[in-house]
Amino acid sequence: DRPAAVYSGMVPGFVAGDYEPAELEIDAVPLARRAGARIVLAAATRIDVRERRVEVEGRPSIAYDVASLDIGSTVGGLELPGVREHALATRPIRDFVDGLEGSLSGLVGRADPRVVVVGGGAAGVELAFTVNARLRARGVAARITLVSAGDRLLEGYPLAVGQSLERELAARGIAMRFGTRVRAVTKEHAELEDGVEPADRVIWAT
């Protein structure tokens, strides 16, 4: 639904400050033309599998013989109180990229700013490292806390991987809270099942 697609594989490098936003973008229109494909810059709203048609916002539906869906991932928990208003979610990824700089630049010059990253999977771990790198490069010694509902990091991975990452996070002064979920987010904190975590910024990567 947009002429430029963000390549998610480069987003961690962008967060760390290694890439500019424009470097993440794939210009979808000339790419489609080179492939001999028609591109429709509108959101698909429904698929009628019986009639084999994709309904498109503001345009006539599109007939298909074969449909391939690549809509990307989303995050859970956006319906919790305050999350949409006070947290920066990693999806949609374009909104995350567009909002990151404004969100973190407000921490420059603050005394003892606190950042909470919610999510103990690969995305949350990457963000804890890269947000820390971005802020420290700007002279901001933020207190970063990674919150995970699981009992350890990367529960779907081998135990040694999570343990190694926990050591690396600790070496960088990044705190971890396991076995608790976020119930709500406000301007000042993340409300957890087992207490409150002060937060000037919350990044949502569930």
Side-chain angles (χ1 to χ4, degrees), residues 23-204:
E23 295 180 274
L24 314 181
E25 294 180 351
I26 301 168
D27 195 342
V29 176
L31 178 64
R33 286 177 180 159
R34 287 197 299 273
R38 173 186 173 212
I39 187 165
V40 177
L41 298 177
T45 57
R46 181 174 176 271
I47 298 175
D48 187 332
V49 294
R50 182 171 296 172
E51 297 295 325
R52 290 189 174 183
R53 301 194 73 84
V54 178
E55 295 183 9
V56 181
E57 191 174 76
R59 302 176 66 102
S61 63
I62 301 170
Y64 71 85
D65 294 305
V66 176
S68 174
L69 309 180
D70 182 16
I71 59 173
S73 60
T74 186
V75 294
L78 295 179
E79 74 285 352
L80 294 171
V83 172
R84 290 186 186 275
E85 295 82 6
H86 303 300
L88 179 62
T90 56
R91 295 291 190 277
I93 200 162
R94 164 58 69 183
D95 295 345
F96 174 71
V97 168
D98 291 346
L100 181 76
E101 177 57 29
S103 179
L104 295 183
S105 64
L107 300 178
V108 177
R110 284 198 188 189
D112 197 29
R114 296 172 181 264
V115 177
V116 170
V117 178
V118 182
V125 172
E126 280 186 331
L127 284 167
F129 281 120
T130 55
V131 167
N132 181 60
R134 185 186 193 95
L135 291 174
R136 289 192 177 278
R138 297 184 176 189
V140 180
R143 295 192 190 187
I144 298 176
T145 301
L146 181 64
V147 176
S148 174
D151 294 327
R152 62 180 180 88
L153 295 181
L154 300 177
E155 288 192 317
Y157 292 75
L159 179 62
V161 175
Q163 291 174 335
S164 175
L165 287 169
E166 287 178 27
R167 289 193 296 271
E168 291 297 329
L169 287 164
R172 289 162 173 77
I174 298 171
M176 291 158 275
R177 292 189 66 165
F178 296 113
T180 186
R181 295 179 183 274
V182 176
R183 289 179 170 172
V185 177
T186 73
K187 288 183 178 180
E188 294 82 25
H189 64 260
E191 179 185 327
L192 310 180
E193 291 174 327
D194 60 354
V196 170
E197 189 67 40
D200 298 295
R201 297 292 184 273
V202 175
I203 298 178
W204 201 262

